[in-house]
């Protein structure tokens, strides 16, 4: 619902453990990359239910490692 305010969503999933409990992260795919960028800009760092969200572009392992090094 929150992410849908930024554009058409093609898929979304909340990752869950074997017991069905949320792992507190998920993925949202937008039809349009510009809409995804708007969602990242608007929602990263936002507090929802007293929890601060990290919202970012999905990255390959190598991209994450390089970003963390810098």
């Amino acid at each position: 619902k929150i992410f849908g305010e930024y554009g058409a969503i093609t898929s979304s999933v909340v990752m869950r453990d074997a017991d069905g409990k949320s792992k507190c992260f998920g993925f949202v795919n937008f039809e349009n990359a510009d809409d995804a960028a708007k969602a990242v800009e608007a929602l990263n760092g936002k507090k929802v239910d007293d929890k601060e969200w990290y919202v970012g572009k999905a990255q390959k392992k190598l991209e994450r490692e390089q970003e963390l090094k810098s």
Side-chain angles (χ1 to χ4, degrees):
K1 183 176 175 181
I2 293 172
F3 283 86
E5 294 176 17
Y6 298 93
I9 294 172
T10 57
S11 65
S12 63
V13 63
V14 173
M15 303 308 290
R16 300 187 180 280
D17 66 16
D19 296 327
K21 185 178 176 191
S22 171
K23 291 184 173 184
C24 297
F25 75 95
F27 299 92
V28 178
N29 291 309
F30 285 86
E31 199 170 273
N32 180 303
D34 289 337
D35 293 339
K38 288 180 205 169
V40 168
E41 180 69 27
L43 297 175
N44 188 42
K46 179 178 176 144
K47 284 201 172 188
V48 179
D49 297 330
D50 293 327
K51 293 182 182 175
E52 187 174 332
W53 281 10
Y54 166 77
V55 180
K57 174 184 167 285
Q59 297 176 315
K60 293 183 173 148
K61 183 178 180 180
L62 181 60
E63 289 175 308
R64 281 191 312 276
E65 289 173 345
Q66 289 175 339
E67 188 175 304
L68 289 170
K69 276 184 182 179
S70 66

